[in-house]
Amino acid sequence: MHRVGYLLTEGFQIMCLATQTVFEFANIVAGKAVYRLENFSVGGGTLRSSLGMSVETLPLAAPGLADTWMVTGTLTPLTPPGDEVLASVRGFVDAARRTAGLCTGSFVLAQAGVLDGRRATTHWAYANKLRELHPKIDVEEDRIFIVDGPIWTSAGMTAALDMALGMVEKDLGNEMARSVAHKMVMHQRRSGGQCQHSELLSLSPRTDRIQSALDYARRHLSRPLCVEELAQVAHLSPRQFTRVFTAETGQSSAKAIEGLRLEAARLMIEQSRHSLEVVAKETGFRDRRHLREVFVRVLGVPPQAVRRDARQV
């Protein structure tokens, strides 16, 4: 049986406990108790979350209480959690099979010195601060989650669910992970190599006209998409569309569509076995060479590296 311990501190972020549902459903799918979950704190007893909800915890004692430790984050990650907490983390990391920082829980691992010399991620809003405070860490703020040996770290909020699902896949196989994702209505199971941001979400247009044009573009990426066509969808003249689009999104429509194509291609590469020629055609790139050029220019890596990383998670 896999024993999963959650280390909570006062004011922990309640969303971190949502990851327990992934392990709960793994037990349901398996038809037996594959995972045992317990909540811990340094002294045990009742702890209050950032939302004010109370959770009972067991006291930390011997480091062998769990083989997987999930270190939860708080809304004040820049405040060290205390020497006892950090000493406990250092103690159980050596004895555990793996240790994970959920969202800003990465700061606890960093403050304990666990992440020095490793790749790690955290909530995008705090990534630069993590890099600034802990220069020995290779912070990759654009990743959903990262596995570096026995140390796992996740980005914010729902990314921790993807990381927990990645653990289930590592422990019990791909089919089990797919079944759990299906039961949890996670229609899109994201691998760790994915970007934290949705390209469409990051554009954040202010009006429905531009939003409708972007939605249209995303549904028709395999086609050439000219300004005239998008302007017609937005019920604007091409000149008006160009001006309004740039004002609302901060970039040209051509640049935005390239971002949507890149995001769609990346998802196809990570989640399917389609050839790069098929991926390029389906997402609107001229050919495989054009696809590679954009990947290297924007992401710094070729599409083959993205596929390789996704399969290693």
Side-chain angles (χ1 to χ4, degrees):
M1 179 183 293
H2 300 281
R3 297 166 299 154
V4 183
Y6 280 72
L7 176 60
L8 310 183
T9 55
E10 193 67 29
F12 69 92
Q13 229 298 316
I14 195 69
M15 183 66 184
C16 292
L17 295 188
T19 56
Q20 295 188 1
T21 305
V22 174
F23 302 114
E24 176 189 12
F25 274 86
N27 288 342
I28 293 172
V29 172
K32 60 181 180 180
V34 182
Y35 292 98
R36 185 182 75 188
L37 310 176
E38 292 179 309
N39 296 322
F40 294 90
S41 63
V42 171
T46 303
L47 286 186
R48 289 174 63 85
S49 73
S50 58
L51 189 61
M53 297 176 62
S54 296
V55 174
E56 289 297 321
T57 64
L58 299 170
L60 283 171
L65 291 171
D67 52 57
T68 294
W69 283 99
M70 309 287 271
V71 180
T72 61
T74 69
L75 296 180
T76 56
L78 305 185
T79 303
D83 292 340
E84 286 184 303
V85 172
L86 298 180
S88 296
V89 170
R90 296 186 193 103
F92 63 58
V93 162
D94 291 335
R97 181 165 61 96
R98 64 187 169 209
T99 302
L102 305 176
C103 190
T104 57
S106 299
F107 276 83
V108 179
L109 299 185
Q111 290 153 356
V114 172
L115 298 183
D116 287 354
R118 295 187 181 276
R119 298 166 55 237
T121 192
T122 189
H123 191 290
W124 63 267
Y126 292 100
N128 286 336
K129 202 64 180 177
L130 182 64
R131 180 183 294 109
E132 176 187 329
L133 294 175
H134 304 280
K136 294 182 180 179
I137 303 172
D138 182 8
V139 179
E140 299 184 20
E141 67 270 24
D142 63 340
R143 296 294 182 262
I144 295 295
F145 67 89
I146 288 177
V147 182
D148 190 329
I151 306 300
W152 299 50
T153 52
S154 82
M157 303 306 174
T158 59
L161 295 173
D162 296 290
M163 182 173 70
L165 200 58
M167 291 179 177
V168 170
E169 181 174 17
K170 188 77 170 177
D171 296 339
L172 307 175
N174 182 264
E175 286 306 311
M176 173 65 77
R178 288 182 181 275
S179 295
V180 172
H182 180 69
K183 284 189 173 294
M184 292 183 64
V185 200
M186 294 174 69
H187 72 284
Q188 176 183 315
R189 195 165 69 80
R190 303 178 296 179
S191 65
Q194 281 190 295
C195 182
Q196 293 193 31
H197 300 286
S198 162
E199 185 67 26
L200 191 61
L201 183 62
S202 67
L203 292 170
S204 300
R206 296 192 298 270
T207 64
D208 291 340
R209 292 181 300 182
I210 301 303
Q211 183 66 58
S212 64
L214 285 169
D215 289 338
Y216 177 88
R218 185 176 58 173
R219 295 194 304 270
H220 298 87
L221 289 177
S222 62
R223 298 169 40 180
L225 292 165
C226 62
V227 170
E228 288 75 16
E229 184 176 0
L230 296 176
Q232 186 175 8
V233 173
H235 302 292
L236 294 168
S237 70
R239 184 174 181 178
Q240 285 177 314
F241 176 79
T242 298
R243 177 177 55 79
V244 174
F245 190 98
T246 303
E248 293 196 13
T249 67
Q251 58 185 275
S252 69
S253 58
K255 184 71 174 178
I257 290 171
E258 180 183 80
L260 293 175
R261 294 191 197 282
L262 181 65
E263 183 175 64
R266 185 170 183 167
L267 287 175
M268 283 190 69
I269 289 169
E270 290 178 333
Q271 298 178 3
S272 76
R273 294 185 177 274
H274 291 305
S275 68
L276 295 184
E277 288 83 0
V278 170
V279 172
K281 181 179 180 181
E282 290 296 315
T283 55
F285 291 95
R286 291 192 302 273
D287 51 29
R288 175 175 177 158
R289 179 178 295 181
H290 183 212
L291 175 72
R292 188 184 190 281
E293 288 175 357
V294 176
F295 264 70
V296 172
R297 171 165 51 83
V298 179
L299 301 179
V301 294
Q304 295 91 334
V306 173
R307 172 160 284 170
R308 183 178 62 250
D309 289 347
R311 290 177 178 175
Q312 289 175 350
V313 175

